[in-house]
C-alpha cells in the first residue's frame, strides 16, 4: 500500500449570512422567496474569539458519518491523521488564512469522510468585554464531541506524493446566535467541509456601495456566499458551499473552491436600502484566484420598501428585522414610518413596542412563538414588503445517530426516474420521524436531477450517462448513495 504525508490545516469561513428576500409588494400581496441562505447572522462586532479545542482529525474511505446500528453499513474505520490536542481561535482565520494542525503518514487513496473530535469543556466563545458566552454544544453536549466535515464532490483523492487537506470550519453558520433563547446564547450546529487544497482555487475582490453622492466606496461587513447549482433554477435548489466576509477595506476572499463554475451572492444585510447582487457563473481553476469586484446597487431607482434579516428563528428566540424606505430618487429616507405585522401571530409574533428607527432604518423584534412558517409584513403608505420566517423547534434531546438509504445504490436508464428513502435512527436504534432530511447531489455533473424531494423521500431523474452521488443529511449526520446511468 502506498503511503503519503498528509498535512492538515484548519480554515475558518466567517461570514454570518442572513437569509432574506426583498420584493416590493402591494399591501395585499405576498412576495416569493428568492434566496435561501442560512440562519441568524453571527455577531462579529461583539465577539473577541471563538476558541475550539481540537483533539484529533480522522479520515475514512466510506462516505458515512454513522455506524453500528442494525441495518446500517459496517462500522466505519477511521484513520487518525493528526491529534494536535490544541486550541484554535477561529476568528483569526479568514481571507484564506489557515492554521497548521499537523501532519502524518497515512495510506494513499480516496477519502470520503472526515471527522474532528473537539473538547467542548476546553472550548469557548469570548465577547469583547472578556465575558464567556453560553454555548449549547451538540450531543453529547459536553466533553469530547465528534463533528463531521462534508467532502465536496467525489471522494478526495490524495496521491502518494502527499497532500494538504484543509478543513473549512464555517463559524458564521456553525454557531447560531440567539436562535432559541434570545439571551445572547449560541447554538452549535457544526458545518465543516474538507478539501484537497491542490485541487482548488479562490475568488477574491472588493465590494463597494454608493455613497450619498452616488460614488462607490468600499464596504465592510458585506456577506459573500458561494453556491453550486443551476443559476437558471430557483435559488432554493442551490447548495451553499462556502462563505466570506469583507474587511474594513471592503476586501474579501473565499478560498479552497473546486475548479468549475460557481454562483456568487453578495449582500449587505445591515443596509436594506441596497439590493443583493447575484453573479451566476464565476469560473475557478485549480491553483488560481479569480478576481470578482462587486458594486451593490440601490434597491430601486424610485420609491421602495425593502426588508432584510434572518428568515428563521428557534422556538422562544428572537430575531431583528430591518426595513429601508426609499424616496422618489431611491435614496433611503432618514426617518422611515413603517408598520410591522405578522400574518400568523401564533407562529411568529412582532413584539409590541420593539419597533424603532436608527440609522435611517426601521427595526423590529420578532419572537418565535409557535413552530411553523408565516410572513412578517412591513408597510409604509402604499408600499409593502414581506419576509417569510420559519420557527423551528428547540434542539433535539434525542439526536440523529445513523441514516440508512433504500436502495443503497441505484442504476437508471436515461430518461427513467426512481426514488430513494432515508430512515433516521437514534443511538438506541429507534426510528426517528421528527428531524428534517435535506437532499442534494454532491456534484454538478448533470448525470441526474432531483426532481422532487419531500421529507424522507427524493425522486431522481436520469439525464445522461455517468455516475453521481446523492446525499441525505439530517442534523450532523449524512449518508451517500451512488447513482449510475449506463
Amino acid at each position: 500500500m502506498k503511503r503519503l504525508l498528509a498535512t492538515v490545516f484548519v480554515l475558518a469561513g466567517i461570514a454570518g449570512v442572513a437569509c432574506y428576500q426583498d420584493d416590493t409588494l402591494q399591501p395585499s400581496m405576498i412576495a416569493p422567496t428568492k434566496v435561501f441562505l442560512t440562519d441568524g447572522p453571527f455577531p462579529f462586532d461583539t465577539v473577541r474569539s471563538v476558541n475550539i479545542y481540537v483533539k484529533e482529525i480522522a479520515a475514512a474511505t466510506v462516505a458515512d458519518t454513522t455506524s453500528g446500528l442494525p441495518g446500517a453499513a459496517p462500522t466505519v474505520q477511521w484513520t487518525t491523521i493528526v491529534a494536535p490536542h490544541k486550541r484554535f481561535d477561529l476568528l483569526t482565520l479568514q481571507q484564506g488564512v489557515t492554521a497548521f494542525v499537523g501532519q502524518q503518514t497515512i495510506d494513499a487513496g480516496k477519502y470520503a469522510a472526515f471527522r474532528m473530535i473537539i473538547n467542548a469543556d476546553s472550548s469557548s466563545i469570548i465577547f469583547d468585554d472578556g465575558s464567556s458566552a453560553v454555548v449549547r454544544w451538540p450531543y453529547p453536549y459536553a466533553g469530547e464531541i465528534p463533528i463531521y466535515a462534508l467532502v465536496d464532490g467525489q471522494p478526495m483523492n490524495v496521491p502518494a506524493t502527499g497532500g494538504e487537506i484543509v478543513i473549512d470550519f464555517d463559524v458564521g453558520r456553525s454557531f447560531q446566535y440567539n436562535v432559541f433563547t434570545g439571551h445572547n446564547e449560541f447554538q452549535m450546529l457544526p458545518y465543516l467541509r474538507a478539501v484537497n487544497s491542490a485541487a482548488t482555487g479562490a475568488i477574491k475582490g472588493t465590494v463597494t456601495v454608493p455613497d450619498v453622492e452616488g460614488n462607490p466606496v468600499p464596504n465592510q461587513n458585506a456577506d459573500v456566499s458561494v453556491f453550486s447549482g443551476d443559476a437558471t433554477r430557483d435559488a432554493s435548489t442551490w447548495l451553499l458551499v462556502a462563505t466570506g466576509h469583507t474587511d474594513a477595506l471592503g476586501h474579501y476572499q473565499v478560498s479552497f473552491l473546486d475548479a468549475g463554475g460557481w454562483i456568487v451572492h453578495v449582500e449587505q444585510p445591515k443596509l436594506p436600502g441596497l439590493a443583493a447582487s447575484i453573479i451566476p457563473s464565476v469560473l475557478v481553476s485549480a491553483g488560481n484566484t479569480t478576481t470578482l469586484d462587486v458594486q451593490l446597487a440601490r434597491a430601486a431607482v424610485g420609491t421602495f420598501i425593502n426588508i432584510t434579516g434572518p428568515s428563521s428563528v428557534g422556538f422562544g428566540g428572537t430575531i431583528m428585522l430591518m426595513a429601508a424606505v426609499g424616496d422618489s430618487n431611491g435614496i433611503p429616507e432618514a426617518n422611515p414610518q413603517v408598520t410591522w405585522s405578522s400574518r400568523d401571530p401564533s407562529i411568529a409574533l412582532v413584539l409590541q413596542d420593539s419597533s424603532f428607527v436608527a440609522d435611517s432604518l426601521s427595526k423590529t423584534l420578532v419572537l418565535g412563538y409557535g413552530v411553523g412558517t408565516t410572513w412578517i409584513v412591513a408597510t409604509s403608505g402604499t408600499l409593502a414588503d414581506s419576509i417569510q420566517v420559519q420557527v423551528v423547534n428547540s434542539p433535539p434531546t434525542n439526536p440523529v445517530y445513523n441514516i440508512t438509504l433504500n436502495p443503497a445504490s441505484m442504476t437508471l436508464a436515461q430518461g427513467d426516474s426512481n426514488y430513494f428513502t432515508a430512515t433516521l435512527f437514534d443511538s438506541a436504534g429507534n426510528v426517528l420521524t421528527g428531524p428534517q432530511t435535506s437532499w442534494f447531489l454532491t456534484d454538478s455533473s448533470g448525470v441526474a436531477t432531483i426532481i422532487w424531494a419531500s421529507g424522507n423521500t427524493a425522486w431522481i431523474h436520469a439525464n445522461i450517462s455517468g455516475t453521481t452521488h446523492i446525499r441525505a443529511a439530517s442534523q450532523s449526520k449524512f449518508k451517500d448513495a451512488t447513482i449510475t446511468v449506463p
Side-chain angles (χ1 to χ4, degrees):
M1 177 71 70
K2 294 183 178 180
R3 310 284 284 181
L4 65 91
L5 186 66
T7 303
V8 180
F9 298 86
V10 174
L11 164 76
I14 67 166
V17 185
C19 177
Y20 80 103
Q21 62 80 34
D22 55 354
D23 292 289
T24 301
L25 303 176
Q26 297 299 321
S28 62
M29 297 175 62
I30 292 181
T33 301
K34 285 186 175 179
V35 177
F36 298 86
L37 303 184
T38 188
D39 294 323
F42 187 92
F44 291 105
D45 54 349
T46 60
V47 172
R48 176 187 301 174
S49 61
V50 177
N51 307 297
I52 299 297
Y53 187 95
V54 180
K55 178 186 177 184
E56 70 174 48
I57 297 175
T61 58
V62 179
D64 189 355
T65 61
T66 63
S67 63
L69 294 181
T75 300
V76 176
Q77 298 298 316
W78 293 99
T79 299
T80 299
I81 305 176
V82 291
H85 293 272
K86 182 179 178 181
R87 186 181 294 106
F88 298 89
D89 179 3
L90 298 182
L91 289 192
T92 65
L93 307 176
Q94 54 182 305
Q95 305 283 356
V97 175
T98 59
F100 176 70
V101 178
Q103 58 187 19
Q104 176 69 28
T105 302
I106 62 175
D107 291 339
K110 294 184 177 181
Y111 289 87
F114 289 81
R115 181 185 68 187
M116 177 186 292
I117 295 180
I118 65 173
N119 189 307
D121 300 338
S122 299
S123 302
S124 63
I125 295 180
I126 306 298
F127 287 114
D128 280 342
D129 62 4
S131 62
S132 297
V134 175
V135 181
R136 306 293 183 183
W137 301 97
Y139 182 85
Y141 314 122
E144 294 184 359
I145 299 174
I147 56 179
Y148 301 90
L150 302 181
V151 180
D152 293 344
Q154 300 295 324
M156 182 190 303
N157 183 31
V158 184
T161 55
E164 292 184 351
I165 300 168
V166 173
I167 306 296
D168 182 0
F169 200 129
D170 197 320
V171 175
R173 299 166 69 191
S174 296
F175 292 94
Q176 306 289 313
Y177 185 59
N178 279 350
V179 170
F180 293 102
T181 65
H183 300 306
N184 300 327
E185 295 182 358
F186 293 88
Q187 175 72 39
M188 187 188 188
L189 302 172
Y191 185 91
L192 293 77
R193 64 188 185 98
V195 299
N196 180 358
S197 64
T200 66
I203 301 172
K204 74 173 184 179
T206 302
V207 176
T208 56
V209 300
D211 65 7
V212 293
E213 302 297 330
N215 299 314
V217 295
N219 185 257
Q220 185 178 9
N221 295 324
D223 291 328
V224 182
S225 305
V226 179
F227 294 85
S228 65
D230 184 349
T232 64
R233 299 184 62 193
D234 186 87
S236 62
T237 66
W238 304 348
L239 174 64
L240 179 57
V241 173
T243 64
H245 197 67
T246 56
D247 61 16
L249 299 177
H251 302 321
Y252 75 91
Q253 179 167 321
V254 182
S255 301
F256 307 107
L257 299 171
D258 289 337
W262 297 92
I263 304 167
V264 178
H265 178 278
V266 182
E267 66 172 338
Q268 173 44 275
K270 294 185 178 180
L271 297 177
L274 298 174
S277 179
I278 298 176
I279 301 90
S281 182
V282 180
L283 297 179
V284 172
S285 58
N288 295 312
T289 298
T290 300
T291 298
L292 177 67
D293 296 329
V294 179
Q295 181 177 350
L296 298 179
R298 300 194 187 281
V301 295
T303 57
F304 70 89
I305 183 171
N306 190 32
I307 301 175
T308 61
S311 68
S312 63
V313 62
F315 177 78
T318 57
I319 54 174
M320 177 176 287
L321 301 181
M322 299 179 289
V325 178
D327 61 18
S328 59
N329 295 316
I331 305 298
E333 298 178 358
N335 187 32
Q337 301 301 305
V338 176
T339 300
W340 297 86
S341 63
S342 171
R343 292 191 178 269
D344 190 345
S346 67
I347 294 177
L349 178 66
V350 175
L351 295 180
Q352 293 183 353
D353 302 324
S354 70
S355 300
F356 62 99
V357 175
D359 301 323
S360 300
L361 300 176
S362 175
K363 304 181 180 182
T364 196
L365 293 177
V366 176
L367 171 68
Y369 198 67
V371 176
T373 301
T374 190
W375 294 84
I376 304 299
V377 181
T379 60
S380 180
T382 61
L383 300 172
D385 193 18
S386 68
I387 182 170
Q388 191 176 46
V389 173
Q390 180 185 21
V391 181
V392 296
N393 209 343
S394 57
T397 57
N398 190 22
V400 175
Y401 181 80
N402 184 52
I403 303 174
T404 64
L405 291 182
N406 185 27
S409 62
M410 182 182 294
T411 299
L412 285 174
Q414 291 186 42
D416 283 354
S417 300
N418 207 334
Y419 65 92
F420 284 93
T421 300
T423 304
L424 314 180
F425 298 90
D426 65 13
S427 60
N430 300 310
V431 174
L432 300 173
T433 58
Q436 179 181 358
T437 302
S438 299
W439 297 88
F440 54 92
L441 299 173
T442 62
D443 59 57
S444 55
S445 63
V447 171
T449 303
I450 299 177
I451 57 176
W452 175 82
S454 178
N456 289 8
T457 302
W459 277 91
I460 310 301
H461 184 266
N463 299 322
I464 59 176
S465 297
T467 301
T468 187
H469 299 83
I470 190 172
R471 174 169 292 162
S474 183
Q475 298 173 11
S476 65
K477 304 297 183 181
F478 66 90
K479 182 75 172 182
D480 287 1
T482 302
I483 302 171
T484 302
V485 182

